[in-house]
Amino acid sequence: MPALVQSLLETDLYKLTMQQAMLHQMPANTARYVFACRNTPAFPLAQLADEVNAELDALCTLRFTKEELAFVRALRFMKPDYIEFLRLFQLNRDFIQVRTEGERLVIEAEGPQLHVMPFELYVLPIVQALYQRRLSTPDTLPEMRRRLHAMIDRAQERLAAMARSPRPPSHPFSLFDFGLRRRYSGAWQQEVLQTLAERLPEQFKGTSNLHLARQLGLTPIGTMAHEWLQTFQAMPGVQLRQSLVAALEAWVREYRGDLGIALTDVVTTPAFLRDFDLYFAKLFDGLRHDSGDPLAWAAEVDAHYRRLGIDPRTKRKVFSDGLRLDTTALDIYEALCWRDDQVVGFGIGTALTNDSPHGALNIVMKLLSCNGLPTAKLSDAEGKTVCEDARFLRYLRHTFGVDGEPTPA
């Protein structure tokens, strides 16, 4: 069968935006990324090791094509020297290892951060597709197609009801596809995006998947991920307590007004907001929610903006934590946009691109160390905290004044 990844452009935009900033500001960084599965699979993932190795062998032969580089170059925030870097770029097979430990599948990428950080967005869809391939039956895709159209039907009914109300929403419902990491397959993600573009043309605004954005003429969507802010926990010359400030400063320095949505839950949102002062609040267009209660988060963010003298309705809120189009996303939209006139957007992933009757793997590949030092993601939700060094996690909590016991995923 053909390799599952056919193009290096089959990645999310934020991988390229972070890689560009790393090339310019921290080219000597080293890093270690580790794969993890958060739920219980239908069979031991160790059984996939040989297939994953074969897919990685094929992946590491790929190069960006001239046409792909032209697409990236057309994004106004991409710099010429980075395009030349991509022209030469090729993933190095020596930097990623796959092995088994009992029934566990172990995947680790370690080496120069510029060269190992891209692996995540290829490894996760590879593992997911291999897993789904084993479980698939002739009825799987027809059932997923039925579920997708039923979900869109329900969403259209709710949006139509809001539009007919005496006070319809002043801001449109905006939907983005964030479904590459855990998609059922590449072909299915493409069908999903084509369906969304056809059936929700006013609401569907784009995709994080650069390859499909190019193929389908969609807007690429994305700014930063957790690893950007985690990296500064281990940067030479940066005090841990100043790591969030340093990460935000570096982002502003790189993009100077572009890509202005910041992620809040790397050391919990309350800690983030203590550092997100008037300077950053004015520079960034808005914030992204990725863990914890979304409405409680929105209220906390709004209160922070008001304390700074900023009208929250002038700032965008992007939600991306396990959403469903027809329920949770529209519930948030109804509460914040319809009732409170706020500007919101919704990045929806697994519920669109892998609503399989067999269930999706909840898999991640996270940054666990940088420059030989531990890093952590201290989430707003139980089960999403990531760190392999309990002592560092306690120190991080103490440094940022975050209560609670460490609960690494």
Side-chain angles (χ1 to χ4, degrees), residues 18-37:
M18 291 187 296
Q19 190 183 39
Q20 174 174 263
M22 288 176 181
L23 174 68
H24 292 154
Q25 302 189 45
M26 53 197 83
N29 273 14
T30 60
R32 176 170 166 262
Y33 292 76
V34 178
F35 169 87
C37 182

Side-chain angles (χ1 to χ4, degrees), residues 207-355:
T207 176
S208 61
N209 183 326
L210 285 166
H211 174 67
L212 290 181
R214 174 175 172 260
Q215 293 291 103
L216 303 177
L218 300 172
T219 301
I221 303 291
T223 56
M224 67 178 72
H226 297 98
E227 67 191 282
W228 174 257
L229 296 107
Q230 285 179 260
T231 292
F232 285 81
Q233 298 169 7
M235 282 293 293
V238 176
Q239 295 180 355
L240 182 61
R241 180 60 187 85
Q242 295 301 310
S243 59
L244 292 175
V245 171
L248 294 174
E249 285 275 16
W251 194 261
V252 170
R253 188 162 57 247
E254 182 71 25
Y255 290 109
R256 304 186 64 81
D258 275 318
L259 307 177
I261 300 295
L263 189 56
T264 69
D265 68 332
V266 172
V267 193
T268 74
T269 293
F272 175 90
L273 292 177
R274 285 196 291 272
D275 286 344
F276 194 71
D277 60 10
L278 182 62
Y279 170 75
F280 289 126
K282 286 187 173 182
L283 287 176
F284 281 85
D285 300 321
L287 299 172
R288 176 158 74 92
H289 169 270
D290 199 52
S291 63
D293 183 303
L295 296 184
W297 175 87
E300 187 175 17
V301 167
D302 285 354
H304 181 71
Y305 278 130
R306 290 190 187 100
R307 283 193 294 271
L308 297 175
I310 295 173
D311 185 344
R313 293 173 298 180
T314 65
K315 296 293 182 177
R316 178 177 291 275
K317 297 180 181 70
V318 177
F319 296 86
S320 60
D321 181 28
L323 300 174
R324 285 189 62 85
L325 169 62
D326 55 337
T327 54
T328 47
L330 281 169
D331 291 343
I332 297 168
Y333 176 71
E334 185 174 328
L336 298 181
C337 183
W338 186 24
R339 300 174 189 170
D340 203 24
D341 201 27
Q342 297 201 22
V343 182
V344 296
F346 301 92
I348 304 181
T350 311
L352 284 173
T353 62
N354 199 352
D355 192 11

